[in-house]
Amino acid sequence: MNQNLRRGALLAGIVLIAFLSCGFTWGGKDKCTEARETIEKITPESAAAERAEAERKVRELCPDGGAPLYLKGISMEAAHDIDGAVTAYRDALAKDPLLLQARGRLGLLLLAKGNREEASVALFEAARQTKEPRFARALADIFLDAKLYALALSQYRQVQPSFPDDANLYLGIARSYRGLGDQNHALEALQDALRLQAGNATTHLELATLYQERNDYEKAAAHLRQAIIADPDNASYHFRLAQLLELSGKRDEAAKEYARSGVKRTDTLADHLKRAAKYEDEGEFALAATEYRAMLVKNPDAAGVREKLGDAELSAGHDAEAIAAYEDALRKKEDSGRVRYHLGTLYERKGDLDEAVRNFSASLRLDPVNSDARRRLADIYALRGDLEEAIRAYQDLISRQADNPLNYLKLARLQEKRRTYKDAVDSYEKALALDSANSEAHRSIAFLFLRLKQPEQAEQHLREVLKLDPRNAQARDALISLSVKQKKYDQVTSLLEEDAQLNPQSADSQYRLGVIYAFKREDEKALQQFDAALKLKPDHARALNALGKLYLKEGERDKAREAFEAARKADPNLLEPVELWSKLSTQPKKYVEKKKTSRKHALEKNKKKSSSTAGSRKTKKSAGKAESKKKKSSQRKTR
């Protein structure tokens, strides 16, 4: 008897873990696939009514999947909440990695935010597995920016039929050809772009550059003048034209263009420096860059001006121009740790990690105390999966800057990846010693202790996480699972009650609290929680199923049958996770009566059989007695 009780308690504990720790995703695969197909054509440009209809269908098909989160991202993107949309798309992909539209849209937003490296990964996957041309087009732009001209040209050509009237696409094609050294095809693509948009200043500038490279200064100047017509107040256009005219020997015309660009030929280098400093103080970095360029026109050997030009372009947000200025400084032997650091930052932003590593390493050789360069280098090693190099870089950083908890936290994660768990624990503890309120450090070390099967230490840190961040669902679920395994059911109840209070609009949170109440046989409370879950989500299949079991337990068979029917309708594929309630029957009364009748007939049949057997035994006994008397009589006669 005790053994059976222990076995029942173990089974109940397993069930509880299954209910409380799982993601509630049993079955529903086909419906989630259908939901995925429903959202494929929904974009931020879709009509509000169309998005609303898609949301309705998705809620019916796969409410707990990634599709609803994708639609949330679409709505946020339509409302220009880019950060919110990025988070929603990430959450959608965490739920359903097959949501390629979410992956593509995430890539587009990351690209717009300047995160080219992560954007390229997302867009590559989306472009490879979907027929959406926008993803391939964006990927082409990334390839072009990274100077991967052949790859860029391949992507542009692939999507060209989808964008027949896009002048910028032809600009991309032209730049790809130029990068490959094919000026003739580049010229053809630029002429196509010009036919589509005759007043495009950028196209005219590209044509001017191309003709200038061919020493055709007349055509180059003509296109620069067209660019000025498109944007007459752009000082840099006038400045470029002035330089070109000066090369052509037209000094008078050049002087006029220099004046229009704000550059006076009679000004001294000191005048330019003074104006540049003034513009920088006012935040007019593009104008400051113009002054530095003017200085280089007058005195190409002016020392330190190229670095200042790079700084101004960097501050103005002109990354390509900044790289060109810094690289020009290196060619002029004006090397420094600062120039190398800025080049490393710019190349990292572009996604060219090899060049970033080269320049950050050079920066550290020239300036060993540059902790920012060392940290950026360590981050790149970690990103590339070079754990040994990354760990060495962080250890070196810590040896120079031992009071930064973030360095210890990053080192601990790398050590954990390398499976040197003792070192990782030590680094996590040092991070917490410097910043005891770091919830992320508490969470990370807690999960490491769980892996090392040290539940007491893990519980301590998980509780700290919830003190600092009560809404941390990952930490709460881990603590619930741990408490179930330790049979601390009152603790489980407390955690789930807090979860239900923090998430009053979550049907799952209300349902999970109902599960623990039902497990503890607090049926009235369980009933209230299941009702609360169903008010929030009337087709919550598991809540309906649990409600039916409660009704069945209370003997309300009709209500139980209705609940079970509703649960089957809400999710036809719902399976019982374990046979907790297998001995409970939902058989109709007629079936039960039929079964009782069959049992009655069987009893009567057995009774008749018993009577027949008894009569047979009696007959045999009488026959035996008669035979015995006959033998005795025969013996007497013989005597």
Side-chain angles (χ1 to χ4, degrees):
M1 181 68 177
N2 289 336
Q3 185 177 357
N4 290 336
L5 287 173
R6 284 196 296 271
R7 185 173 179 277
L10 176 62
L11 182 60
I14 294 172
V15 173
L16 197 59
I17 293 173
F19 269 112
L20 301 179
S21 302
C22 73
F24 302 108
T25 55
W26 307 308
K29 181 178 180 180
D30 292 339
K31 286 192 171 185
C32 287
T33 300
E34 191 177 342
R36 201 180 300 128
E37 293 169 354
T38 300
I39 64 171
E40 276 185 357
K41 296 183 180 179
I42 302 298
T43 68
E45 294 76 30
S46 299
E50 189 178 356
R51 293 204 306 267
E53 177 62 17
E55 288 172 4
R56 184 190 65 77
K57 286 184 180 179
V58 164
R59 280 198 302 271
E60 292 177 356
L61 292 168
C62 187
D64 297 327
L69 292 169
Y70 170 78
L71 292 176
K72 179 182 178 182
I74 290 290
S75 297
M76 289 183 165
E77 194 175 347
H80 306 292
D81 182 0
I82 302 304
D83 291 336
V86 166
T87 301
Y89 291 142
R90 288 190 197 279
D91 291 344
L93 289 168
K95 283 264 189 181
D96 186 354
L98 296 178
L99 282 173
L100 297 175
Q101 291 295 322
R103 197 173 298 281
R105 296 220 64 86
L106 175 62
L108 292 176
L109 293 182
L110 290 173
L111 180 59
K113 288 168 68 69
N115 190 346
R116 291 180 175 272
E117 185 165 355
E118 190 179 355
S120 66
V121 175
L123 287 169
F124 178 78
E125 288 296 324
R128 185 169 62 89
Q129 299 184 58
T130 70
K131 296 180 180 179
E132 176 54 63
R134 286 177 299 176
F135 302 153
R137 166 67 189 282
L139 189 61
D141 291 339
I142 292 175
F143 286 151
L144 178 61
D145 192 56
K147 299 181 181 179
L148 302 171
Y149 301 118
L151 290 174
L153 184 59
S154 172
Q155 292 292 325
Y156 282 130
R157 288 299 189 193
Q158 177 184 327
V159 301
Q160 189 176 355
S162 300
F163 303 96
D165 301 325
D166 189 342
N168 288 325
L169 182 136
Y170 287 94
L171 269 174
I173 291 174
R175 287 167 176 166
S176 300
Y177 276 126
R178 274 193 64 204
L180 294 170
D182 188 343
Q183 288 192 346
N184 292 329
H185 280 102
L187 183 59
E188 290 177 7
L190 287 171
Q191 289 169 344
D192 286 336
L194 208 57
R195 278 194 293 272
L196 290 169
Q197 197 172 353
N200 190 315
T202 305
T203 305
H204 284 295
L205 291 173
E206 290 284 339
L207 282 164
T209 302
L210 191 59
Y211 282 122
Q212 188 172 342
E213 289 173 353
R214 293 181 165 194
N215 297 322
D216 191 341
Y217 296 148
E218 289 296 327
K219 287 184 178 178
H223 282 290
L224 280 171
R225 293 186 194 282
Q226 290 297 316
I228 289 171
I229 290 172
D231 188 2
D233 296 326
N234 193 310
S236 65
Y237 295 176
H238 289 286
F239 185 77
R240 280 190 61 180
L241 179 57
Q243 289 179 306
L244 185 62
L245 291 169
E246 193 166 34
L247 284 172
S248 305
K250 301 177 180 180
R251 293 187 174 276
D252 292 339
E253 291 184 51
K256 292 177 183 178
E257 292 302 324
Y258 276 126
R260 289 176 182 135
S261 69
V263 175
K264 295 179 182 179
R265 300 293 285 167
T266 57
D267 285 351
T268 64
L269 296 180
D271 292 332
H272 289 299
L273 276 174
K274 185 177 179 180
R275 276 200 297 271
K278 175 177 175 291
Y279 288 140
E280 286 175 337
D281 289 341
E282 295 172 352
E284 297 287 351
F285 297 106
L287 292 176
T290 300
E291 295 296 332
Y292 291 129
R293 282 203 194 89
M295 291 178 67
L296 291 173
V297 169
K298 292 179 179 180
N299 184 5
D301 296 324
V305 176
R306 288 169 177 81
E307 182 177 350
K308 290 180 178 295
L309 174 59
D311 292 346
E313 296 286 18
L314 178 61
S315 298
H318 303 156
D319 288 5
E321 291 82 355
I323 288 174
Y326 289 133
E327 292 285 7
D328 195 23
L330 295 181
R331 283 191 290 273
K332 291 291 184 179
K333 309 299 182 185
E334 297 176 5
D335 202 353
S336 71
R338 187 174 179 279
V339 168
R340 291 288 190 169
Y341 175 73
H342 285 316
L343 272 172
T345 302
L346 287 163
Y347 279 119
E348 183 184 9
R349 190 182 296 171
K350 274 186 67 173
D352 190 342
L353 297 184
D354 289 334
E355 280 298 311
V357 167
R358 187 175 70 83
N359 281 285
F360 283 135
S361 299
S363 176
L364 287 172
R365 283 195 299 272
L366 295 165
D367 182 12
V369 300
N370 189 337
S371 59
D372 286 335
R374 201 175 300 279
R375 185 180 299 106
R376 301 290 277 275
L377 196 57
D379 287 344
I380 291 175
Y381 286 139
L383 182 66
R384 297 168 81 170
D386 193 345
L387 297 182
E388 296 299 328
E389 287 290 342
I391 286 172
R392 276 197 291 271
Y394 277 115
Q395 287 172 335
D396 193 11
L397 187 62
I398 286 169
S399 69
R400 298 167 184 271
Q401 191 183 31
D403 60 346
N404 189 334
L406 186 60
N407 293 336
Y408 284 106
L409 181 57
K410 289 184 176 181
L411 175 60
R413 285 174 174 164
L414 292 169
Q415 290 168 330
E416 190 174 351
K417 282 186 179 180
R418 198 177 61 173
R419 299 184 180 180
T420 53
Y421 298 133
K422 184 178 179 181
D423 292 338
V425 168
D426 182 58
S427 296
Y428 279 131
E429 288 177 342
K430 286 177 179 175
L432 287 168
L434 290 168
D435 182 9
S436 60
N438 189 325
S439 65
E440 188 58 28
H442 281 295
R443 189 196 65 81
S444 297
I445 195 173
F447 280 91
L448 179 54
F449 278 133
L450 285 174
R451 179 182 293 177
L452 297 175
K453 297 182 179 179
Q454 298 180 30
E456 291 182 4
Q457 293 91 328
E459 180 177 349
Q460 176 187 345
H461 287 285
L462 288 171
R463 289 197 171 281
E464 286 298 322
V465 175
L466 293 180
K467 283 181 185 177
L468 297 165
D469 181 13
R471 293 186 177 278
N472 193 312
Q474 192 178 17
R476 186 176 296 279
D477 287 346
L479 188 54
I480 288 170
S481 180
L482 184 61
S483 300
V484 169
K485 290 175 183 176
Q486 296 174 337
K487 298 183 180 180
K488 297 179 179 178
Y489 299 126
D490 289 340
Q491 187 167 289
V492 174
T493 305
S494 176
L495 288 165
L496 287 172
E497 285 174 343
E498 290 172 6
D499 179 50
Q501 290 173 1
L502 289 168
N503 301 287
Q505 298 304 312
S506 170
D508 278 343
S509 294
Q510 310 307 318
Y511 163 70
R512 293 203 304 173
L513 180 55
V515 170
I516 188 63
Y517 283 148
F519 173 78
K520 294 175 69 177
R521 299 186 180 182
E522 298 181 24
D523 294 349
E524 189 60 37
K525 288 185 177 180
L527 186 63
Q528 290 174 2
Q529 289 307 128
F530 294 144
D531 282 339
L534 291 170
K535 284 179 182 177
L536 293 167
K537 190 172 183 294
D539 60 347
H540 196 297
R542 290 173 298 280
L544 287 165
N545 196 47
L547 189 62
K549 294 179 186 300
L550 276 182
Y551 283 141
L552 192 63
K553 181 181 177 182
E554 294 173 358
E556 300 187 42
R557 304 181 67 85
D558 291 337
K559 287 185 178 181
R561 196 174 295 110
E562 288 177 7
F564 288 136
E565 183 61 32
R568 284 194 293 270
K569 185 178 179 181
D571 187 356
N573 299 309
L574 179 64
L575 301 175
E576 288 291 329
V578 288
E579 296 180 355
L580 176 61
W581 293 286
S582 60
K583 58 186 176 182
L584 298 176
S585 172
T586 57
Q587 298 164 346
K589 290 181 179 179
K590 289 182 179 179
Y591 180 83
V592 175
E593 289 171 0
K594 183 178 179 181
K595 194 169 181 181
K596 287 181 179 178
T597 303
S598 299
R599 194 175 296 136
K600 183 178 179 181
H601 287 320
L603 288 172
E604 289 176 356
K605 187 175 180 180
N606 288 337
K607 188 175 180 181
K608 287 179 180 179
K609 186 176 180 182
S610 299
S611 300
S612 175
T613 304
S616 176
R617 286 175 184 165
K618 187 175 181 181
T619 303
K620 286 179 181 178
K621 189 175 180 181
S622 300
K625 287 181 178 180
E627 183 66 27
S628 178
K629 286 180 180 180
K630 189 175 181 181
K631 283 182 180 180
K632 287 180 180 179
S633 176
S634 178
Q635 287 172 0
R636 287 192 196 101
K637 288 179 180 179
T638 302
R639 287 174 186 167

